Amino acid sequence: MKLIEAQDAFFVARKARKDSPHTTAAYRRDLAVVSACVVDEVGVPLAEVSLAEVSSGVLRAAFGVFADTHAKSSVARAWSTWNQFFQFCVADGLCAGNPMGAIGRPRAAPLSPKPLRGESTPEQLLSAIAGGARRAREPWPERDLLVLALGLVAGLRSSEMRALVRSSVVGRAGERRLFVRGKGNQERSIPIEAPMERVISAYVRSCEERFPAARFDGESPLVVGSDGSAIGRGALDYLVKSCFRAAGMHDRVPAGANLHALRHTFATRLAEDGANAVEIMALLGHASLNTSQNYIEATGAHRRAAAASNRTYQVLADLAE
């Protein structure tokens, strides 16, 4: 069997798993980029590469080339994709064994939360944006405030914000919640309080004022761009970055975090206020309890207590009196 035929069969088999389009695209990308390296090793076009030719030696060389130009996390993700692919091939009788055991896999660094820096930064950011600090060509503080609030008090990812529709807000007044579809099409319900309800209501009214000819219904996207259609990924990321700059807080955002810093701030504050790992997992839609535990370990009272036991603090206490 040809390699590309086996890969096609792999994706057919995964259809029953109902992977999200994002997950499927990531798998296809991982298979494609390493396959290109395999082609360079065997010296024939991809359409002619047989599955039997993809030995552990060929894969080791291909992953070595791939690793030269990709981050550790990308290599680890591609390794996982190819491992799943060969597990399928073995189970389906397409090959005798899985060669991925002979391929080195980078050890992932421990995940570290990246919340906004500064205890009062979230409150200052919301106040500045609500007051119109962001000077856009067509200012829209109601939408800016909604986006920030969805990150800071609901912990939504970018993809989850963009997937929200108007009917995602469910329940009676005072008991409303957000119905969210997260990674892997996993669904969760996030309770929202009265202040968030008011932010959403003000935003919805502003949409009606901005787009009087539009017909919004329950399936209309909740977060829209300046043209009234669903906001794109790049536009949403730019909006959040602009808010940080406008509020004078771009230096309080961890490198590479941006919108995700809002989500990390939400989770970190949950941990600081006593939420356990199971509660954090449910609210953030984590697939692993270990991911949720990271926030508790980064902010837990036991770590603070251990640091406070340092005898040098007694000297500082005496000097500060």
Side-chain angles (χ1 to χ4, degrees), residues 202-247:
Y203 164 74
V204 168
R205 289 195 300 271
S206 73
C207 286
E208 295 169 353
E209 294 170 359
R210 281 177 172 265
F211 311 109
R215 292 187 176 182
F216 296 111
D217 57 29
E219 295 307 307
S220 297
L222 180 62
V223 184
V224 301
S226 57
D227 61 352
S229 62
I231 194 168
R233 179 178 180 178
L236 182 59
D237 191 54
Y238 177 77
L239 186 157
V240 174
K241 288 181 181 178
S242 298
C243 287
F244 289 143
R245 288 196 299 269

Side-chain angles (χ1 to χ4, degrees), residues 80-100:
S80 178
T81 299
W82 277 82
N83 187 51
Q84 291 183 63
F85 165 65
F86 274 108
Q87 285 177 344
F88 159 77
C89 290
V90 171
D92 225 39
L94 304 181
C95 64
N98 183 351
M100 292 306 296

Side-chain angles (χ1 to χ4, degrees), residues 42-66:
V42 300
V44 298
L46 179 59
E48 298 178 18
V49 178
S50 68
L51 187 60
E53 289 180 277
V54 189
S55 64
S56 58
V58 169
L59 275 174
R60 191 180 299 116
F63 265 88
V65 172
F66 176 72

